Amino acid sequence: MASVLAGKMGLNSLLRKQSRNFNVRICTMESDMEFSCEVKWKGKDLFDLVCRTLGLRETWFFGLRYNIKDTVAWLKMDKKVLDQEVPKEEPITFNFLAKFYPENAEEELVQDITQHLFFLQVKKKILEEEVHCPPEASVLLASYAVHAKYGDYDSSVHKPGFLAQEELLPKRVINLYQMTAEMWEERITACYAEHRGRTRDEAEMEYLKIAQDLDMYGVNYFLIRNKKGTDLLLGVDALGLHIYEPDNRLTPKCSFPWNEIRNISYSDKEFTIKPLDKKTNVFKFNSSRLRVNKLILQLCIGNHDLFMRRRWVDSLEVQQMKAQAREERARKQVERQRLQREKQLREEAERARDELERRLIQLQDEAHMANEALLRSEQTADLLAEKAQIAEEEAKLLAQKAAEAETEMQRIKVTAIRSQEERRLMEQKMLEAEILALKMAEESERRAKEAEQLKQDLQEAKESERRAKNKLLEITSRTVHTVSEQSVHAVHTPLISIKDSVALTVYMEKSKHLQEQLNELKTEIESLKLKERETPLDIIHNQNTEQGTSKQSNFKKVISQLRAPHSVFQHRD
């Protein structure tokens, strides 16, 4: 059976070599790409094609990884693709991943595409718990991941539930607390709202700056045995080599910074690490599989080369890339300021429009009230005019009756009966006539005064009507003037220059601020923790935090006192 399988594999290899092309699938963190390659291509030809397609120039961090049996391997650049132990099925699948990590992402990662690829890979490792992340840091990282995806927080858009379908926290963290999905979203959103004003690239960089201080960040672990046969873990990263207990991947038993290693030799299955300090014991270890040894050696060589490269003057290519990156960031900053100014202008115009609309409604209400007052004045004037006319007619009628009474009195006087009784009766009638005439005169005078008053009231009503019309005219003209004046003001309001608010600060200040954020988050959720669900790594992390010891804090103290780096590798097959 084995011989048949070997025969088929040999046949496939022969067919590939006879064919002029073969197909590959490249899986990046965002998408898959397929290429047709020539059989003569080396690993570098395929790798360069992928980098050109992505627009990636910081190629030294990345590689093409593939699965082989129960481990992984990286495509060698100097050998033909088909001459390596790559999968036999087409299309041949490779994963385009970061092979080496920077010591300081903010200083070393120049291109936005490089930063984005690192962000996606690190986020995936944290969510899949390949890198241990404490809960409070997980929440803060999630808030930056949300900002990178959604931009600035907007309460009218990002309403409760908008993160329901997002995978933002490791399952270990979610299970560790008595918190609902809504409660986690509330915590993440509260942090997210504070990041306002950052671009996607800035949010991703803040994510990486936090993640790079995690103890398992950028470390490749390998199961090894020392010369006594004790099982240990070897960690290889940008700063050096670390030896761990198998159940503690956070805190190394000992570490060897690249600048403190005099020599690493490899023979068959055994590695030997010789420190520069001759008083320090030589450390030997081995792995049971040749492929794993080759992988360890590759990672050691690559990380050591980058370690030395960081301490040399940048190459012309890197200097050019950094100069272009600075120009691009400056251009983006100018563009961002322009957009900010336009946004500010738009908001001011909207506020001015709202104020004009409010003022217009107010003026319309005033005009409506003035119209109603004018209508009431006109109605009152008409009523007063009608009453004045009636009063005048009544006065005329009373005057006529008074004249008739006077005439009757004179007639009575002329035709009075001479007899005493008649005279007495006549006098009585005359007295009554006089009283009646007096009353009519008084009533006539009263009616005349009332008519005069009504005329005055009519005059005042007409005057009120005139004033109401003038006020309505004034309101109308003022409305036009106000709209015109405020429109001109909205257009010609001078812009407030946006000052650069980002100042250079030292690393310790940033670290202090970050630690304060993390402590605040930890305090908020600590009371809801279910301690019985803590994993061994959680417990170790908490102990390290209380004692102030960690791989990062201790190792960076050692690495700060650098010796001149030099070549440390010797390889004997």
Side-chain angles (χ1 to χ4, degrees), residues 281-503:
N281 293 332
V282 172
F283 183 80
K284 294 185 178 183
F285 65 89
N286 60 70
S287 172
S288 59
R289 290 179 293 176
L290 181 61
R291 287 193 184 91
V292 174
N293 287 337
K294 290 181 178 179
L295 182 55
I296 292 173
L297 186 63
Q298 281 184 18
L299 293 175
C300 286
I301 294 172
N303 276 299
H304 179 265
D305 287 346
L306 286 175
F307 181 88
M308 293 195 295
R309 180 173 176 173
R310 293 182 189 106
R311 284 144 185 87
W312 296 336
V313 178
D314 288 336
S315 65
L316 290 177
E317 180 188 9
V318 174
Q319 291 181 36
Q320 180 190 31
M321 287 170 55
K322 287 185 176 180
Q324 291 175 347
R326 285 194 296 270
E327 291 175 1
E328 181 65 16
R329 289 192 184 102
R331 185 191 65 77
K332 287 183 178 180
Q333 180 67 17
V334 171
E335 180 67 15
R336 192 155 65 243
Q337 290 178 354
R338 184 185 68 80
L339 292 174
Q340 187 65 26
R341 286 196 297 270
E342 290 180 356
K343 183 179 179 181
Q344 184 180 1
L345 271 178
R346 185 168 62 251
E347 290 175 351
E348 289 176 356
E350 289 175 354
R351 285 196 296 270
R353 181 199 63 195
D354 294 341
E355 177 61 23
L356 286 174
E357 289 178 351
R358 186 192 65 77
R359 184 62 183 152
L360 183 59
I361 292 173
Q362 182 181 352
L363 292 173
Q364 287 174 345
D365 291 341
E366 291 180 5
H368 181 66
M369 293 172 64
N371 275 327
E372 288 183 347
L374 178 61
L375 182 60
R376 285 195 301 271
S377 298
E378 290 175 347
Q379 291 173 347
T380 303
D382 292 342
L383 182 60
L384 290 173
E386 185 179 350
K387 285 185 176 181
Q389 184 179 358
I390 294 172
E392 189 176 357
E393 290 176 355
E394 288 180 348
K396 287 180 180 179
L397 183 59
L398 288 171
Q400 183 181 354
K401 287 185 178 181
E404 290 176 353
E406 182 67 24
T407 302
E408 180 65 18
M409 184 181 67
Q410 292 298 327
R411 188 185 64 78
I412 291 173
K413 285 182 178 180
V414 174
T415 59
I417 303 174
R418 291 181 180 181
S419 66
Q420 191 64 29
E421 183 67 24
E422 289 177 347
R423 189 180 297 116
R424 186 180 61 79
L425 292 172
M426 186 60 67
E427 288 175 355
Q428 185 177 356
K429 289 183 179 180
M430 287 177 62
L431 181 59
E432 290 176 355
E434 286 177 358
I435 292 171
L436 179 62
L438 184 60
K439 287 182 178 180
M440 288 185 175
E442 289 176 354
E443 181 67 16
S444 175
E445 184 178 354
R446 187 181 68 79
R447 292 289 184 174
K449 288 181 180 180
E450 185 178 344
E452 185 65 28
Q453 183 63 40
L454 287 172
K455 286 182 180 180
Q456 290 179 3
D457 290 345
L458 177 61
Q459 187 66 27
E460 290 178 0
K462 290 182 178 179
E463 183 64 24
S464 176
E465 179 181 355
R466 184 184 64 78
R467 286 197 301 271
K469 287 180 178 179
N470 289 338
K471 184 175 181 181
L472 180 61
L473 182 60
E474 180 186 348
I475 290 171
T476 305
S477 63
R478 197 168 64 211
T479 303
V480 175
H481 177 70
T482 302
V483 171
S484 175
E485 183 181 6
Q486 294 193 13
S487 298
V488 171
H489 179 73
V491 172
H492 295 285
T493 300
L495 289 176
I496 300 173
S497 61
I498 300 175
K499 296 181 180 179
D500 184 6
S501 62
V502 181

Side-chain angles (χ1 to χ4, degrees), residues 35 43 65-66 141 215 229 253 261 263 294 380 383 396 444 492 509 526:
F35 299 100
R65 198 181 75 180
Y66 58 92
L141 289 174
D215 288 327
K253 289 167 59 67
I261 298 175
N263 176 269
K294 290 181 178 179
T380 303
L383 182 60
K396 287 180 180 179
S444 175
H492 295 285
E509 291 176 347
E526 187 67 21

Side-chain angles (χ1 to χ4, degrees), residues 210-271:
I210 297 169
Q212 71 185 5
D213 285 335
L214 299 176
D215 288 327
M216 293 176 65
Y217 169 88
V219 182
N220 289 280
Y221 295 92
F222 301 95
L223 183 63
I224 61 171
R225 289 188 179 89
N226 61 14
K227 58 184 179 181
K228 294 181 181 179
T230 305
D231 287 338
L232 296 169
L233 286 176
L234 172 71
V236 184
D237 71 0
L239 297 176
L241 301 176
H242 316 278
I243 309 301
Y244 300 84
E245 296 283 1
D247 57 351
N248 180 1
R249 296 190 175 204
L250 295 179
T251 314
K253 289 167 59 67
C254 61
S255 294
F256 301 94
W258 294 122
N259 60 303
E260 294 292 339
I261 298 175
R262 178 159 53 95
N263 176 269
I264 297 178
S265 60
Y266 164 62
S267 176
D268 194 15
K269 295 181 180 180
E270 186 176 70
F271 283 86

